């Protein structure tokens, strides 16, 4: 079953233990002259909303959390093609008890310098 979320959205997942978050995008035409490189990431947060550790920030340069419960499948630098451009897999059965939530984000690499 797929769930589509918009910016700022959230959803309850019920009793599901394993799932993936697939993020896909198509960029609009731009007069900046530079290519767009969007990046997906996941933050494993404690009750205070802080990341458990640097290793619990999962992204293209840190592909797996220490417990292996959150794993990024790799960087897509162009967004070309159909379907998900980047994917993050989650196994809730391995999430440490200190983790209260997992937040997912998509950012534009070097957006300010590329004027995007």
């Amino acid at each position: 079953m797929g769930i589509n979320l918009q910016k700022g959205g959230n959803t309850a997942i019920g009793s599901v233990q394993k799932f993936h978050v697939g993020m896909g995008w198509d960029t609009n035409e731009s007069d900046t002259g530079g290519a767009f490189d969007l990046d997906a990431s996941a933050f494993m947060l404690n009750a205070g909303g802080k990341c458990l550790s640097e290793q619990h920030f999962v992204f293209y340069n840190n592909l797996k959390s220490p417990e292996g419960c959150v794993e990024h499948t790799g960087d897509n630098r162009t967004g070309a093609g159909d379907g998900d451009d980047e994917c993050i897999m989650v196994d809730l059965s391995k999430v440490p008890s200190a983790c209260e939530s997992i937040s997912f984000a998509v950012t534009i690499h070097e957006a300010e310098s590329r004027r995007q």
Side-chain angles (χ1 to χ4, degrees):
M1 172 176 106
I3 299 170
N4 290 320
L5 295 176
Q6 300 302 316
K7 181 179 178 179
N10 61 60
T11 187
I13 57 169
S15 62
V16 173
Q17 290 294 304
K18 293 182 180 181
F19 60 92
H20 76 271
V21 177
M23 294 170 239
W25 52 83
D26 293 310
T27 56
N28 295 329
E29 292 294 321
S30 171
D31 61 359
T32 65
F36 283 80
D37 177 9
L38 279 70
D39 295 308
S41 55
F43 301 86
M44 298 176 65
L45 307 174
N46 64 22
K50 303 287 184 187
C51 202
L52 299 179
S53 73
E54 287 184 15
Q55 293 77 31
H56 290 93
F57 167 40
V58 178
F59 66 113
Y60 66 87
N61 206 27
N62 179 43
L63 294 176
K64 191 183 286 190
S65 66
E67 307 81 9
C69 56
V70 177
E71 183 174 354
H72 193 295
T73 60
D75 192 16
N76 177 331
R77 294 186 177 174
T78 67
D82 293 331
D84 296 334
D85 295 312
E86 293 191 14
C87 184
I88 298 176
M89 300 180 302
V90 179
D91 182 348
L92 294 177
S93 69
K94 296 179 181 178
V95 173
S97 60
C99 181
E100 291 287 323
S101 64
I102 303 172
S103 289
F104 301 91
V106 176
T107 55
I108 303 173
H109 183 68
E110 297 180 344
E112 188 172 334
S113 65
R114 294 179 181 186
R115 299 178 330 185
Q116 297 172 335

